[in-house]
């Protein structure tokens, strides 16, 4: 059995959060072959479950940067996850201590989130439905100050995604990928991602693929995985081309 672990935003999905027709066509080819598509996303549980319905097949995936798993048998929360109320108190403490202009996603007006994410207005409540990680925006030059402020909070970690920073517990997408591999026991694995928070799980798969953005491949991701394949285009077009070559033309997992 071939399992394809994939990020969603900017990788499988288009910039506006939609699924392209070329991806839909390829999924229709892969499903009868028993290929499993397993999203590993920073999206919420509600968002992930909606996309699992859209993608079809078995319900396997991970939400909020590895905080929880969705399986055909239910929802599992990983031991290192922290509830969002606790993360909120920690991040507000960091903001006050460091006196940084940190903006929590849950504090942003709907219109600003629409502009930042490119998502339709009706999807914004789903973006806000965080349970175990806390997305926020901060100046790029504030990175070191935030890290220093978190040094004496050992239960947390900081992660940079495609659009936002995330404060979370001691978990990531790689933790979720390990747990899912134990359950699925695939014969071969392909992984696709476009951001530095995809690094961990891409290191675990047999065939990692870096999906470029319009500006090119994420430099942190490229440095961490210098031998990985690079998709020929951003988002769904690149995803489709890479998966078609590996799964169909090269016959990986057949």
């Amino acid at each position: 059995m071939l399992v394809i672990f994939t990020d969603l935003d900017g990788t499988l999905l288009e910039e506006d959060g939609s699924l392209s027709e070329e991806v839909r066509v390829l999924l229709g080819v892969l499903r009868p072959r028993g290929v499993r598509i397993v999203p590993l996303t920073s999206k919420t549980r509600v968002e992930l479950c909606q996309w699992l319905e859209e993608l079809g097949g078995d319900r396997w995936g991970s939400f909020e940067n590895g905080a929880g798993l969705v399986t055909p048998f239910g929802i599992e929360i990983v031991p290192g996850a922290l509830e969002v109320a606790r993360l909120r108190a920690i991040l507000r403490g960091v903001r006050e201590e460091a006196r940084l202009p940190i903006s929590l996603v849950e504090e942003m007006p709907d219109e600003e989130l629409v502009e930042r994410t490119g998502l339709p207005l009706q999807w914004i409540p789903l973006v806000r439905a965080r349970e175990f990680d806390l997305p926020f925006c901060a100046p790029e030059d504030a990175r070191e100050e935030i890290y220093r402020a978190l040094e004496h909070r050992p239960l947390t970690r900081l992660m940079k995604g495609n659009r936002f920073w995330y404060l979370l517990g001691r978990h990531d997408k790689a933790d979720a990928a390990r747990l899912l591999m134990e359950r699925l026991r695939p014969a071969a694995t392909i992984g696709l991602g476009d951001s530095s928070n995809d690094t961990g799980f891409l290191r675990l798969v047999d065939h990692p693929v870096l999906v470029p953005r319009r500006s090119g491949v994420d430099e942190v991701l490229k440095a961490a995985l210098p031998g990985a394949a690079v998709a020929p285009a951003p988002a769904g077009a690149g995803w489709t081309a890479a998966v078609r070559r590996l799964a169909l033309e090269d016959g990986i997992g057949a």
Side-chain angles (χ1 to χ4, degrees):
M1 179 181 62
L2 172 63
V3 172
I4 299 175
F5 292 101
T6 181
D7 174 50
L8 289 179
D9 289 326
T11 300
L12 180 66
L13 304 181
E14 301 304 301
E15 287 185 356
D16 64 357
S18 65
L19 194 66
S20 70
E21 185 59 30
E22 58 192 325
V23 171
R24 292 181 188 276
V25 171
L26 181 56
L27 292 176
V29 174
L30 296 174
R31 284 191 208 104
R33 296 169 178 254
V35 177
R36 281 196 168 101
I37 308 299
V38 180
L40 304 176
T41 181
S42 60
K43 288 183 179 296
T44 63
R45 180 199 325 213
V46 177
E47 290 175 292
L48 173 61
C49 288
Q50 287 192 347
W51 277 113
L52 290 175
E53 291 294 328
E54 184 80 11
L55 297 175
D58 295 339
R59 289 168 57 87
W60 295 93
S62 172
F63 58 91
E64 294 193 43
N65 290 302
L69 309 180
V70 174
T71 78
F73 314 106
I75 306 295
E76 300 177 34
I77 306 302
V78 303
L82 297 177
E83 292 187 359
V84 72
R86 189 170 179 185
L87 294 169
R88 185 185 300 118
I90 290 170
L91 189 56
R92 286 177 175 169
V94 169
R95 180 166 62 184
E96 292 171 9
E97 289 174 21
R99 298 188 178 185
L100 292 169
I102 291 173
S103 300
L104 280 63
V105 160
E106 60 186 28
E107 298 172 342
M108 296 177 188
D110 288 354
E111 295 75 15
E112 182 178 352
L113 277 179
V114 168
E115 183 178 349
R116 286 183 178 274
T117 64
L119 298 175
L121 182 62
Q122 64 267 27
W123 290 12
I124 296 304
L126 304 183
V127 176
R128 297 186 190 280
R130 316 305 297 190
E131 297 174 276
F132 301 101
D133 73 5
L134 194 62
F136 65 95
C137 293
E140 189 62 34
D141 59 6
R143 178 195 301 251
E144 295 305 319
E145 290 182 75
I146 297 173
Y147 274 113
R148 282 197 298 271
L150 290 171
E151 283 179 353
H152 61 284
R153 296 173 170 95
L155 296 178
T156 61
R157 63 179 302 179
L158 194 62
M159 184 176 292
K160 185 70 167 69
N162 199 350
R163 298 185 178 104
F164 303 111
W165 288 93
Y166 293 86
L167 183 67
L168 57 158
R170 303 301 294 180
H171 56 82
D172 62 13
K173 292 183 181 182
D175 297 322
R178 289 188 191 93
L179 291 170
L180 291 165
M181 285 179 186
E182 288 174 6
R183 289 159 174 74
L184 292 169
R185 298 189 178 278
T189 53
I190 297 170
L192 301 100
D194 76 320
S195 185
S196 58
N197 68 337
D198 300 321
T199 302
F201 88 83
L202 290 175
R203 282 176 168 158
L204 296 177
V205 300
D206 300 319
H207 303 277
V209 179
L210 313 185
V211 178
R213 302 168 183 168
R214 292 187 182 276
S215 58
V217 178
D218 182 284
E219 291 300 325
V220 175
L221 191 60
K222 187 175 181 179
L225 293 146
V230 176
W239 193 97
T240 301
V243 170
R244 185 178 295 279
R245 178 177 62 81
L246 291 169
L248 301 181
E249 296 173 13
D250 293 353
I252 291 170

